Amino acid sequence: MASVSAVRRFPVVADLTLVTAGAMTANVAGYLLQLLAGRWLGVSGYSEFASLLAVQLLCAVPALALQNVVARELVRGASVAALRGLQWRCAVIVAVVVAVLVPVVTSALNVGVAACAAALGAAPALVLLSGEQGVLQGGRRFRALGVVLGAAGILRVAPALVVLAVGGGAALALCAAALGIAVAAVFARFVAGSPPARTRAGTDEDEVVQAIGVLPVLRAAQVQAALMALSSTDLIVVRMVLDDADASRYALGTIAAKIAFWLPQAVGVVLYPRMAQPTHSARAIRSALAVLSGIGIVAVICAAIAAPLAPLLAGQDYAPIQGLLWLFALHGAILAVLQGAMLSAIAVDRTALAALTWLGLAVEVTLMVSFARSIPALITTVASVAAVTTLVVAVIVLRTADRDNTVHNLEPERLP
């Protein structure tokens, strides 16, 4: 029995390793772009570039939502052709929204029109790229997905770095990055290919095509938006309640939170297709939350052990937060578990649970603004609110999955 279990676990471990490698390649490439851009553009030019990269990150919300919906519907039996039609509809909608937002963002951030158009103009290609990643994810082709994730990160960053290296400004670098994303989308389409169409048992393929609309993507998008807001709003609030020095120290501490948050992302990616299957959903959700919790514990311990290195790497000005790095890592680890729980909600199309995340965000901001006036108070507040929100969401998700599994198992008995 032990050998059988080991054999069954091995493919999952291999899938996690491959997806993690691809995602880490993309993340390292992204960090390298920001680091070198800060050096080559200088203090005066980097602010525009960094702010537009942040806006571009917000544009990833509908793309991530589309990837989750495509993967879920493919598991349920939708045809790849129908899902690619959904991709193009979403890309067109995003393109229209981008055209409207360019002048607004240009004015709000006081940046160049060309640079803003380049940053936002990448959004439709990002949607198509994520859609193909959803095809690979839903088809459980994780080796190919890992390759696409890594290649997309390199194709996005390499052209921008070349432009910056030869003296190009933010606008040209962002144009190069957008072109790289478009090339990555084409590459992803090539890798995904054209798998044979699948349909649900007893369901006509045309009915499946008609059942796939943009609305599920919008519902999933608000889940992604809630998670993004809960994981980043504290950085905005601290600038309101702390002086510049402490705000910078807090921002450095969030690096530990980001590492703990992004490190186990492959867990949700690999187990998501199983979450979308009624017969496997409950077990997959429990496995995901357990693995995410375990990785989070390891991340917190590592942060506590490595804390003395922080002043050596960032300077003695950051020594006051050395003893708090484990708490920052705990915050990121908790958010990773919350993301796993919310992914399971998207997998079973019960995205109303995102309301609890929005509520948690409102409570967090209220407490931070009203009571927290120091770094320890702020990080304790956000970690505590995240923990309560995650616990409530996880309990509801697990109970719902267990109930759905019970109902699904009883269905054959109800047939005449």
Side-chain angles (χ1 to χ4, degrees), residues 14 87 106 118 182 184 196 202 327 335 375-376 381 397-398:
Q87 289 176 213
T106 300
L327 193 51
L335 290 176
I375 295 177
T381 298
V397 162
L398 289 171

Side-chain angles (χ1 to χ4, degrees), residues 32-33 35-43 160-168:
L32 181 64
L33 174 61
L35 176 64
L36 294 179
R39 178 175 299 178
W40 289 336
L41 292 175
V43 177
L161 287 179
V162 171
V163 169
L164 291 171
V166 299

Side-chain angles (χ1 to χ4, degrees), residues 193-378:
S194 300
R198 296 180 300 146
T199 57
R200 291 177 298 219
T203 305
D204 184 80
E205 184 174 341
D206 291 337
E207 293 178 355
V208 177
V209 173
Q210 294 174 5
I212 306 173
V214 175
L215 187 58
V217 179
L218 295 177
R219 291 199 297 267
Q222 59 98 16
V223 176
Q224 298 289 349
L227 286 166
M228 182 172 291
L230 191 63
S231 64
S232 59
T233 301
D234 58 327
L235 281 171
I236 298 174
V237 177
V238 295
R239 292 185 60 84
M240 303 176 186
V241 299
L242 298 177
D243 58 36
D244 289 342
D246 278 347
S248 295
R249 293 186 182 106
Y250 187 97
L252 181 73
T254 60
I255 294 177
K258 290 177 181 178
I259 292 173
F261 178 70
W262 289 110
L263 183 64
Q265 293 303 296
V267 175
V269 172
V270 171
L271 292 179
Y272 182 83
R274 298 186 184 186
M275 295 179 187
Q277 293 179 303
T279 54
H280 298 91
S281 181
R283 181 179 299 176
I285 293 171
R286 291 183 186 279
S287 297
L289 297 184
V291 173
L292 289 170
S293 299
I295 294 175
I297 292 172
V298 173
V300 172
I301 295 174
C302 290
I305 295 174
L309 297 177
L312 298 178
L313 297 175
Q316 289 301 316
D317 288 341
Y318 295 96
I321 66 165
Q322 174 180 327
L324 297 172
L325 288 182
W326 70 271
L327 193 51
F328 281 98
L330 178 62
H331 180 220
I334 291 170
L335 290 176
V337 176
L338 177 61
Q339 184 179 54
M342 294 309 300
L343 275 177
S344 70
I346 296 176
V348 296
D349 202 13
R350 285 193 172 89
T351 53
L353 272 175
L356 293 173
T357 304
W358 288 114
L359 178 60
L361 175 64
V363 172
E364 175 183 291
V365 172
T366 300
L367 292 176
M368 291 177 73
V369 172
S370 302
F371 303 106
R373 290 295 180 272
S374 67
I375 295 177
L378 286 164

Side-chain angles (χ1 to χ4, degrees), residues 99-168:
V100 174
L101 287 180
V102 166
V104 177
V105 175
T106 300
S107 176
L109 298 182
N110 192 26
V111 295
V113 175
C116 184
L120 294 179
L126 193 59
V127 167
L128 295 175
L129 170 61
S130 294
E132 294 302 327
Q133 289 174 177
V135 171
L136 294 172
Q137 183 182 5
R140 301 185 185 182
R141 299 163 61 190
F142 296 113
R143 181 186 298 272
L145 179 58
V147 170
V148 168
L149 288 172
I154 294 172
L155 288 170
R156 170 177 172 262
V157 169
L161 287 179
V162 171
V163 169
L164 291 171
V166 299

